[in-house]
Amino acid sequence: MKIAILSRNRKLYSTQSLAKAIEARGHELRIIDYLKCHMNIASHRPSIFLGEEELGGFDAVIPRIGASHTFFGTAVVRQFEMMGVYPVNESVAISRSRDKLRSMQLLSRKGVGLPVTTFAHDPKASQDMIRLCGGAPVVIKLLEGTQGVGVVLAETGKAAESVIEAFRGLNANILVQEFIKEAGGADIRCFVVGDKVVAAMKRQGKEGEFRSNLHRGGSADIIKITPEERSTATRAAKVMGLNVAGVDLLRSNHGPVIMEVNSSPGLEGIEAATGKNVAGTIVEFIEKNARAGRTKTRGKG
Ligand code: ADP
Ligand code: MG
């Protein structure tokens, strides 16, 4: 097969790991910096170019779209879809996953376990939101934050109100969430491929930190997850429409709750913590599922 990785940086661990797996399994590989592509949105014959070269003949693309380039990156993925190329994750699913509120709404509609989560436009609603979350402490987060930036723990009602007011004053969209104290600064990353959790790790925030993000100094370890956690993770990926997803869960008193569902989950942490060849599993999934034109939306979304 001819498989393209859409990635800005071929030196990244995740890109390298996927590249090795693609070649090890005997496929032709191309790494494409999607920001360097241009598209011709022509009737009947959509096309993509890299400089003067027209890109074609791919059986599948693996989108690795950075959070800060969702708009252009998903447009490139959509263009591939219109050309009938099989994307491991579809453009609509990637866009969905980038908006925390939209993701939570979709997951709640399907009854997937979530922390109590509230959202408002008017800062006057802040007291009500805090009350709905069961009172302080609460977690306040920017809708489009990543790597733990823009996630704040407010210990008191007064602190929560000031943080909400400050964010709203900057016109930032935020959600206010019940603080899952019993998670103890840890979360579980379930790496889903197809309808299976193929690897899972526990990430623990450093001393005194409630955020477990590895980018914030957290550490990762292999963990055995429960059947309930396994099914929560696979259901969450399915609801989001993602074939490959990093589903983050917290262990709460009321069972596993979803933190977020990531559409370009990193491979370095999970492969190091579990010793598993996750990239290889992704390529196997492509071999089984990639067929020309086999996308649900075909760029319609
Ligand atoms: P980001 O997209 O920036 O990673 P997350 O929503 O995943 O934002 O939050 C970052 C981390 O903060 C989580 O992995 C978790 O460890 C911690 N955290 C976030 N929300 C809560 C919460 N409601 N209760 C307890 N811990 C939380
Ligand atoms: Mg996170």
Side-chain angles (χ1 to χ4, degrees):
M1 295 175 97
K2 189 170 162 187
I3 304 174
I5 304 174
L6 303 181
S7 166
R8 292 214 58 207
N9 185 350
R10 57 179 59 236
K11 294 206 183 86
L12 286 180
Y13 178 95
S14 300
T15 311
Q16 281 295 314
S17 186
L18 286 163
K20 279 189 206 133
I22 290 169
E23 287 179 333
R25 297 184 67 87
H27 303 295
E28 194 183 326
L29 163 73
R30 184 79 187 262
I31 300 173
I32 299 170
D33 179 350
Y34 54 89
L35 285 192
K36 299 235 162 78
C37 292
H38 60 275
M39 297 167 267
N40 185 354
I41 325 285
S43 293
H44 304 303
R45 197 179 171 280
S47 50
I48 304 183
F49 297 86
L50 194 61
E52 294 190 344
E53 180 198 356
E54 182 170 352
L55 298 175
F58 291 101
D59 299 293
V61 289
I62 305 179
R64 303 283 315 172
I65 309 299
S68 45
H69 297 294
T70 304
F71 178 76
F72 192 79
T74 53
V76 174
V77 178
R78 196 157 51 239
Q79 190 82 355
F80 274 110
E81 288 163 13
M82 283 154 52
M83 290 157 54
V85 180
Y86 178 83
V88 165
N89 281 334
E90 292 191 24
S91 56
V92 244
I94 298 170
S95 305
R96 262 182 215 135
S97 75
R98 291 293 156 85
D99 178 336
K100 285 187 179 166
L101 179 64
R102 186 173 174 193
S103 308
M104 291 272 169
Q105 287 178 315
L106 288 168
L107 294 168
S108 82
R109 190 159 69 103
K110 296 287 179 184
V112 180
L114 297 170
V116 178
T117 303
T118 63
F119 180 71
H121 174 79
D122 190 343
K124 286 201 200 87
S126 47
Q127 278 184 6
D128 289 326
M129 288 199 285
I130 298 165
R131 191 176 41 75
L132 283 172
C133 292
V138 292
V139 175
I140 298 155
K141 47 180 101 164
L142 288 175
L143 278 199
E144 294 193 1
T146 96
Q147 305 185 343
V149 180
V151 179
V152 180
L153 174 61
E155 307 266 6
T156 66
K158 278 283 161 240
E161 279 180 54
S162 344
V163 174
I164 296 170
E165 230 170 75
F167 276 145
R168 290 299 306 143
L170 294 167
N171 262 327
N173 278 316
I174 49 159
L175 49 80
V176 180
Q177 210 166 54
E178 156 197 26
F179 176 50
I180 311 291
K181 186 164 185 282
E182 59 273 25
D187 75 351
I188 298 172
R189 159 61 59 96
C190 298
F191 205 107
V192 177
V193 178
D195 54 4
K196 288 194 186 72
V197 176
V198 298
M201 65 176 167
K202 177 177 177 179
R203 298 178 299 193
Q204 179 74 54
K206 59 175 190 234
E207 187 71 29
E209 172 63 70
F210 80 103
R211 295 167 298 181
S212 58
N213 301 67
L214 300 183
H215 287 96
R216 311 231 65 77
S219 57
D221 251 314
I222 192 161
I223 192 178
K224 197 165 161 36
I225 57 170
T226 66
E228 192 189 6
E229 288 161 351
R230 195 170 283 278
S231 70
T232 302
T234 51
R235 275 186 70 211
K238 184 151 189 262
V239 170
M240 300 295 294
L242 293 166
N243 293 312
V244 170
V247 180
D248 297 340
L249 305 171
L250 295 188
R251 285 184 167 164
S252 84
N253 290 337
H254 44 99
V257 290
I258 301 277
M259 271 285 95
E260 62 176 340
V261 184
N262 200 308
S263 55
S264 290
L267 292 171
E268 187 166 13
I270 194 89
E271 291 194 333
T274 64
K276 289 193 176 147
N277 177 7
V278 177
T281 320
I282 295 174
V283 180
E284 265 178 62
F285 176 85
I286 293 173
E287 290 165 3
K288 287 201 193 97
N289 293 281
R291 303 284 176 277
R294 193 174 186 186
T295 68
K296 282 203 198 88
T297 47
R298 291 181 187 231
K300 278 185 298 216

